[in-house]
Amino acid sequence: MEENVTLHTERVSIDRRPASAGASIDNADFTDRNIEVTETDEEAVIGKTARVKEEVVVHKEATDRVETVRDTVRRQDVEIERDPSTSRTSGATPIPTTARPKI
């Protein structure tokens, strides 16, 4: 982006010229004094500034719903057989199958 900017500058110059011949000055002040004049110079500074142009508002709506679902579900049974010669749990001695009561 380009933009034209007007910058202000003030410079001081001192000119000496001879006075008009024969001119007289009444009540001349010959005391020492200083006169100060300040020069000014503007320079363009380019920078970025955040400026709000618009606000965005986001809304979120949550709802719950209940649906009835129907489907055929299969049932699966698992049978577990333990081999007393290989299976030991927590150091307990398995009961022989001949000694187990039948229920």
Side-chain angles (χ1 to χ4, degrees):
M1 176 172 107
E2 285 186 28
E3 189 171 326
N4 293 329
V5 178
T6 303
L7 302 175
H8 181 74
T9 301
E10 293 180 354
R11 296 279 179 237
V12 176
S13 63
I14 299 174
D15 297 328
R16 292 179 176 237
R17 60 179 175 207
S20 304
S24 65
I25 299 176
D26 295 330
N27 300 327
D29 185 8
F30 291 108
T31 58
D32 273 345
R33 61 182 166 157
N34 294 326
I35 299 174
E36 291 186 24
V37 180
T38 304
E39 291 185 340
T40 61
D41 188 27
E42 293 180 338
E43 85 180 38
V45 176
I46 298 173
K48 291 185 178 182
T49 303
R51 295 198 177 150
V52 177
K53 293 189 112 183
E54 65 182 351
E55 293 181 354
V56 176
V57 179
V58 177
H59 297 280
K60 181 179 179 180
E61 184 177 323
T63 58
D64 294 327
R65 65 183 184 280
V66 176
E67 291 185 10
T68 302
V69 179
R70 290 187 178 97
D71 198 359
T72 303
V73 180
R74 295 185 202 178
R75 180 176 172 170
Q76 185 174 14
D77 294 329
V78 177
E79 290 185 21
I80 300 173
E81 292 182 13
R82 294 188 180 182
D83 184 359
S85 62
T86 59
S87 170
R88 287 199 152 182
T89 57
S90 66
T93 307
I95 302 171
T97 53
T98 57
R100 289 188 186 157
K102 294 189 179 184
I103 302 176

